[in-house]
Amino acid sequence: MLSLGYGAARRMRNLSIGVLALAGSAHAETVTIAALGDSLTAGYGLAQDEGFVPQLQAWLDDQGADVKVLNAGVSGDTTAGGLSRVAWTLTDDVDAMIVTLGGNDYLRGLDPAVSRANLDGILAAGRDAGVAMLLVGLKAGGNYGPAYKEAFDANYADLATDYDIPLYDGFFDGIRAAAGSQDQFGAYMQPDGIHPNKEGVAAIVAALGPSVLALLDGVD
């Protein structure tokens, strides 16, 4: 659901784009989505056509969507890194943004409150730019204790509510569903146990793809 603030910003951003109607039909422009993330988005350890963005692009093409997905993933990036580059990621031709950040914050044990503030800044930039947004959550493990996990996991749901944007709860949910059990989870991961392999990305995209299609419906 889009807030009034989002709709107003989007309408102002699109004042210069008109809709060309000829013989009762309209010309729809290709929707451009920026995928802002870290190595999970960038496609770390994979061939060029095996990463998250190219597999998502292929999946959307197969669904007949007129969309271009831009790879704005930087390996090793934290939420702070995403915040530092979101302004130049959101160029005038970007219509929507997928945000998948926080994994490196968790791996480094950064304060969830700091991660939340950075994600808040990223989403505020997207709102101000008038782009449709999809926030993709990540689930922390229990190695920093239950209080850390609770605070980290809650960041995504709380911010999605604050900005009235859709949340895809867990980036790795598609792998969990495909694996069926924790014993089989490793078959979809690279040897480092952190990054998905080609088959893992395919499972992630198959599960996440419908949420991206729904995001396109929110683009004016």
Side-chain angles (χ1 to χ4, degrees), residues 21-47:
L22 294 173
S25 64
H27 172 71
E29 295 187 357
T30 300
V31 174
T32 300
I33 302 176
L36 183 71
D38 49 32
S39 56
L40 298 176
T41 301
Y44 175 87
L46 297 172

Side-chain angles (χ1 to χ4, degrees), residues 145-162:
Y148 184 99
K149 175 175 173 55
E150 181 179 359
F152 183 91
D153 292 354
N155 281 344
Y156 298 97
D158 290 347
L159 287 169
T161 298
D162 290 347

Side-chain angles (χ1 to χ4, degrees), residues 36-38 40-41 52 98-102 134-138 171:
L36 183 71
D38 49 32
L40 298 176
T41 301
F52 173 72
I98 303 170
V99 180
T100 307
L101 284 163
L134 172 64
L135 181 60
V136 179
L138 293 163
F171 183 81

Side-chain angles (χ1 to χ4, degrees), residues 33-67:
I33 302 176
L36 183 71
D38 49 32
S39 56
L40 298 176
T41 301
Y44 175 87
L46 297 172
Q48 187 173 4
D49 62 343
E50 295 176 352
F52 173 72
V53 169
Q55 289 209 47
L56 178 60
Q57 179 71 67
W59 188 92
L60 291 168
D61 290 345
D62 287 345
Q63 308 307 308
D66 187 5
V67 61

Side-chain angles (χ1 to χ4, degrees), residues 22-214:
L22 294 173
S25 64
H27 172 71
E29 295 187 357
T30 300
V31 174
T32 300
I33 302 176
L36 183 71
D38 49 32
S39 56
L40 298 176
T41 301
Y44 175 87
L46 297 172
Q48 187 173 4
D49 62 343
E50 295 176 352
F52 173 72
V53 169
Q55 289 209 47
L56 178 60
Q57 179 71 67
W59 188 92
L60 291 168
D61 290 345
D62 287 345
Q63 308 307 308
D66 187 5
V67 61
K68 178 180 181 181
V69 186
L70 303 178
N71 193 338
V74 173
S75 293
D77 229 358
T78 60
T79 55
L83 178 60
S84 72
R85 59 192 176 85
V86 66
W88 55 261
T89 297
L90 293 173
T91 58
D92 289 342
D93 60 339
V94 172
D95 304 296
M97 177 170 64
I98 303 170
V99 180
T100 307
L101 284 163
N104 288 309
D105 296 48
Y106 163 63
L107 290 175
R108 299 178 189 186
L110 301 182
D111 184 350
V114 173
S115 302
R116 182 189 181 110
N118 292 330
L119 288 169
D120 191 6
I122 291 169
L123 297 177
R127 176 197 60 201
D128 294 346
V131 300
M133 293 184 287
L134 172 64
L135 181 60
V136 179
L138 293 163
K139 300 294 186 183
N143 48 318
Y144 297 120
Y148 184 99
K149 175 175 173 55
E150 181 179 359
F152 183 91
D153 292 354
N155 281 344
Y156 298 97
D158 290 347
L159 287 169
T161 298
D162 290 347
Y163 283 88
D164 198 13
I165 60 173
L167 170 68
Y168 183 81
D169 197 39
F171 183 81
F172 289 100
D173 285 355
I175 289 183
R176 293 188 178 94
S181 68
Q182 189 61 37
D183 291 343
Q184 297 301 315
F185 193 89
Y188 295 87
M189 300 296 290
Q190 296 182 43
D192 62 11
I194 296 173
H195 300 93
N197 58 25
K198 177 183 177 181
E199 292 75 23
V201 173
I204 289 167
V205 166
L208 176 59
S211 294
V212 179
L213 279 179

